[in-house]
Amino acid sequence: MRNLPVIKKQRLEGEFQPNLQRYDETYASFSWRDLAQELTRGHADVVADSSLNIASIAIDQNLSNGRGEHIAVRWLAADGDIRRDFTFAQLAEFSDRFANVLRGLGIGAGDVVCTVLGRIPELYAVCFGALKNRSIFCPLFTAFGPEPLRMRLDLSRAKVLVTSRNLYERKIAPMRPSLSHLAHVILVDVYQEQMLPEGTQSYGLLMARADPNFTIPPTRPEDPALLHFTSGTTGTPKGALHVHQAVMVHYATAKYVLDLHPGDVYWCTADPGWVTGTSYGIIAPLTVGVTLVVDEAEFDAARWYKILQDQKVNVWYTAPTAVRMLMKSGDALPQSYDLSHLRHAVSVGEPLNPEAVLWSQRVLGRPIHDTWWQTETGGIMVANFPAMDIKPGSMGRPVPGVEAAIVSVVNGVLQPLAEPDVEGELALRVGWPSMFRSYLNQEERYKKCFIDGYYLTGDLARRDADGYFWFVGRADDVIKSAGHLIGPFEVESVLLEHPAVAEAAVIGKPDPLLMEVVKAFVALKSGFSPDEATRKEIMALARRRLGPAVAPREIEFVADLPKTKSGKIMRRLLKARELGLPEGDTSTLERPVVATGGSR
Ligand code: ATP
Ligand code: MG
């Protein structure tokens, strides 16, 4: 990776201070036990295995701390200028009611409650109601077709599904007979008994009849709480199960990484159908009692800038794909909005190209802070912290309480690669509270992820002499060419430096001589044509910056790159198409790719 200037952070004397000011000291003195005491105000001794319930921490504790009338969720409707605010006291009541609804239906601890809901207020009552009842909350993405939904409902053995009438009739009803575990379907937008499709119940009627008070039964830190499916970027999505004590990581990272302070307005743009949208779009911000902005609408650059402005968003958690789309919409657009309230911008989901960090520094006036984690880790593991200098292109340093290492596994034995700047697999020492506890129905696969007390992430990275981690690529995506290991991220980041390039993905294409050569798929910004001159220019830039061994041998222009519905580039699909192989599981694919130019 080219040596870009470090973005230096200044200490603000007397002004606003970040929660984590001295990384090394905090990292050295941190313990999860102390964190648990802080989180529960000393009421629960998590180590002694007493009660720790996510909903009690995220919702009810705000009432006992005098924040009952504080706005917990500010919901912005997709249509019109409708805005609805919900206080912590209201969320406490709604979730109590929904917990009673579940109990009344005979749903208990360990039963799975799925949602197929857009970003609407009911989602929050259902999530926390299920958690209060010690049921397992499993949000599914509304854009899934019937088959991906059937697979997930089946695999999770969901007993309850909360959805809308339209989604139910279009996607679920035709396959309902095959969902043998599904006992109850609750529709959020049908209010009259006679209007209900057969075999469904009305959310509104059930809630109205339910007792508004619910006492959370003792919940052990190891009780299952959340079920999330991975994005399916590298293969068939896996179901990762998390437990109630994951809330310790949600809280610690809300404090240290998102740097949330009481009174803040926070916006997470991820959909709750993915782990980010639940860990950081529902739970984490409420554990620190801030106001969470929820936008029902899909991406629109002008709308997003307007939300940042009008809602006076202080902290914003988004994704590289969204940042690239904002970059595509031009530098002039944000100039007409007042973004002065935005204190901290953060990203996750894919590598954040240095170009994006520099763009946000230049155009938005503050750099975007990259964070790395996975569905399996349940919360942020590696991050750029507000008080820490940023090296553009680096994922940052491990969260306090998380031990990250670069390792290689040789003949089933783990070898730590302690020297700086050596590439290897990113591994995490077992022991952080939000680690997944199983892959649904895949015990062997789960076991294979662990070796000698470490969890192997499947991502390749390196750590520099200052302790910063740099993403190289997914182990599956790394290209082996003429004896070199080439990480796609480095090549793609250079391609993105060309002013015509909007998005880029590279794969290894089999080559009889070199084993593989790098092939790039490039989507251009509007106004640029996919012609030979542009191809040559991009190729020349890549050769100059990367050298001929690493630069792409081929560039194919495409209108769009295949991505998961959560916005991740699916390189495995580009490769399968290139090689004429079966595409494998495409249940999370967002849209087909259309070629606009030939390849060479
Ligand atoms: P599947 O496991 O089904 O193939 P997935 O790995 O994309 O899908 P997620 O758990 O949603 O599913 O994504 C986690 C992965 O996303 C990480 O393992 C990593 O490859 C990538 N990722 C997340 N954040 C970053 C980041 N900041 N930099 C680089 N890669 C990232
Ligand atoms: Mg994965």
Side-chain angles (χ1 to χ4, degrees):
M1 187 73 61
R2 109 187 114 126
N3 275 338
L4 287 163
V6 171
I7 300 177
K8 288 271 179 202
K9 298 290 185 68
Q10 287 148 8
R11 271 181 59 75
L12 304 168
E13 293 303 335
E15 278 184 57
F16 185 88
Q17 297 292 338
N19 289 323
L20 187 151
Q21 293 177 35
R22 291 181 187 80
Y23 173 82
D24 291 305
E25 281 169 34
T26 307
Y27 189 88
S29 62
F30 184 90
S31 87
W32 287 113
R33 193 192 174 103
D34 291 348
L35 194 278
Q37 293 296 330
E38 178 186 323
L39 179 60
T40 59
R41 312 295 184 271
H43 292 317
D45 186 352
V46 172
V47 182
D49 226 25
S50 64
S51 197
L52 184 85
N53 185 294
I54 295 177
S56 146
I57 302 281
I59 303 295
D60 297 354
Q61 198 163 266
N62 282 290
L63 273 59
S64 38
N65 291 341
R67 270 201 292 264
E69 296 314 310
H70 190 89
I71 297 167
V73 172
R74 164 160 294 174
W75 178 74
L76 310 175
D79 300 322
D81 237 352
I82 301 165
R83 180 185 112 180
R84 280 166 68 193
D85 287 344
F86 300 89
T87 63
F88 279 101
Q90 285 174 312
L91 277 194
E93 186 201 316
F94 297 158
S95 51
D96 273 7
R97 280 183 189 269
F98 194 72
N100 281 317
V101 166
L102 291 175
R103 186 180 276 174
L105 295 174
I107 301 300
D111 290 336
V112 174
V113 175
C114 280
T115 52
V116 182
L117 289 175
R119 293 180 290 277
I120 58 170
E122 287 81 355
L123 185 74
Y124 296 81
V126 173
C127 168
F128 290 116
L131 292 170
K132 284 183 172 179
N133 191 46
R134 294 189 306 149
S135 302
I136 300 170
F137 176 61
C138 174
L140 299 176
F141 196 42
T142 50
F144 282 143
E147 186 46 36
L149 286 175
R150 197 197 56 72
M151 187 276 263
R152 288 163 177 79
L153 289 167
D154 212 29
L155 196 67
S156 65
R157 300 177 177 214
K159 284 197 177 168
V160 179
L161 170 66
V162 186
T163 186
S164 69
R165 178 180 186 146
N166 177 24
L167 288 168
Y168 176 73
E169 289 185 331
R170 275 198 300 128
K171 301 186 179 183
I172 314 284
M175 61 180 176
R176 178 92 187 258
S178 70
L179 296 167
S180 53
H181 301 284
L182 191 61
H184 305 281
V185 173
I186 300 174
L187 303 183
V188 291
D189 51 356
V190 183
Y191 308 96
Q192 289 166 325
E193 215 82 59
Q194 62 274 24
M195 303 295 282
L196 285 165
E198 200 193 328
T200 64
Q201 297 169 75
S202 154
Y203 175 84
L205 293 177
L206 288 168
M207 288 288 274
R209 289 180 205 132
D211 189 330
N213 295 300
F214 182 87
T215 305
I216 300 177
T219 310
R220 286 183 311 256
E222 278 300 304
D223 281 345
L226 302 162
L227 176 63
H228 291 296
F229 287 89
T230 61
S231 296
T233 315
T234 55
T236 306
K238 300 146 275 187
L241 188 69
H242 293 276
V243 296
H244 275 273
Q245 63 169 310
V247 72
M248 294 208 277
V249 173
H250 300 149
Y251 172 74
T253 49
K255 184 176 158 184
Y256 290 140
V257 181
L258 300 177
D259 194 42
L260 294 173
H261 292 247
D264 273 349
V265 176
Y266 161 81
W267 182 26
C268 171
T269 61
D271 190 273
W274 311 107
V275 71
T276 308
T278 302
S279 291
Y280 296 99
I282 303 181
I283 299 167
L286 302 184
T287 66
V288 281
V290 304
T291 298
L292 170 62
V293 172
V294 178
D295 182 28
E296 190 190 15
E298 295 310 320
F299 176 85
D300 175 81
R303 181 180 172 101
W304 277 32
Y305 288 128
K306 189 164 164 26
I307 291 175
L308 289 171
Q309 168 187 271
D310 292 356
Q311 302 309 323
K312 301 185 166 56
V313 173
N314 305 115
V315 181
W316 180 40
Y317 200 17
T318 190
T321 316
V323 176
R324 286 194 296 266
M325 289 198 283
L326 290 176
M327 289 167 75
K328 217 171 162 180
S329 71
D331 294 2
L333 187 60
Q335 309 305 328
S336 44
Y337 295 90
D338 173 9
L339 306 181
S340 58
H341 292 275
L342 185 61
R343 189 180 73 233
H344 189 37
V346 193
S347 146
V348 69
E350 280 202 303
L352 184 67
N353 309 93
E355 218 48 38
V357 179
L358 300 179
W359 171 83
S360 72
Q361 170 84 343
R362 186 167 46 81
V363 177
L364 306 182
R366 53 206 47 75
I368 295 179
H369 294 66
D370 191 18
T371 65
W372 176 95
W373 58 292
Q374 306 177 307
T375 308
E376 289 86 341
T377 69
I380 301 167
M381 297 284 108
V382 179
N384 286 281
F385 299 85
M388 205 167 82
D389 295 345
I390 294 183
K391 300 190 185 190
S394 161
M395 317 192 281
R397 299 180 71 186
V399 165
V402 172
E403 213 182 307
I406 302 295
V407 305
S408 103
V409 179
V410 183
N411 300 329
V413 180
L414 186 100
Q415 321 239 312
L417 303 173
E419 289 293 306
D421 297 320
V422 179
E423 282 175 13
E425 185 161 357
L426 177 61
L428 304 169
R429 188 187 272 289
V430 171
W432 77 97
S434 63
M435 187 182 88
F436 69 136
R437 298 301 196 265
S438 71
Y439 274 141
L440 274 195
N441 291 355
Q442 298 194 67
E443 216 177 306
E444 274 311 304
R445 185 164 193 177
Y446 182 74
K447 278 194 201 140
K448 273 198 192 138
C449 297
F450 297 91
I451 178 165
D452 295 342
Y454 279 88
Y455 162 64
L456 300 172
T457 66
D459 283 347
L460 301 185
R462 62 185 171 82
R463 182 184 42 214
D464 70 16
D466 298 326
Y468 282 68
F469 283 74
W470 297 77
F471 183 76
V472 172
R474 293 166 182 269
D476 290 10
D477 291 337
V478 165
I479 301 160
K480 297 166 196 82
S481 184
H484 303 287
L485 281 183
I486 300 173
F489 178 47
E490 183 171 18
V491 183
E492 290 161 8
S493 290
V494 166
L495 296 175
L496 280 178
E497 286 174 27
H498 192 281
V501 177
E503 287 191 305
V506 303
I507 61 161
K509 184 175 171 176
D511 180 271
L513 220 59
L514 302 172
M515 199 159 150
E516 287 185 315
V517 290
V518 178
K519 170 164 183 182
F521 295 83
V522 168
L524 296 178
K525 290 180 187 157
S526 56
F528 291 91
S529 56
D531 54 27
E532 207 42 43
T534 313
R535 193 200 313 273
K536 278 191 176 140
E537 262 186 39
I538 299 172
M539 202 76 109
L541 168 78
R543 291 224 175 98
R544 199 167 61 244
R545 300 270 295 99
L546 297 161
V550 177
R553 295 287 166 104
E554 265 184 55
I555 293 179
E556 178 173 338
F557 290 122
V558 292
D560 233 331
L561 293 169
K563 293 195 201 82
T564 64
K565 292 184 198 302
S566 55
K568 291 162 192 280
I569 295 172
M570 293 172 95
R571 294 175 191 78
R572 73 169 159 97
L573 222 60
L574 289 169
K575 189 154 181 172
R577 289 172 183 172
E578 181 70 30
L579 305 185
L581 295 171
E583 294 192 348
D585 189 303
T586 52
S587 63
T588 61
L589 177 65
E590 175 64 21
R591 51 181 175 244
V593 88
V594 185
T596 58
S599 95
R600 264 188 347 154

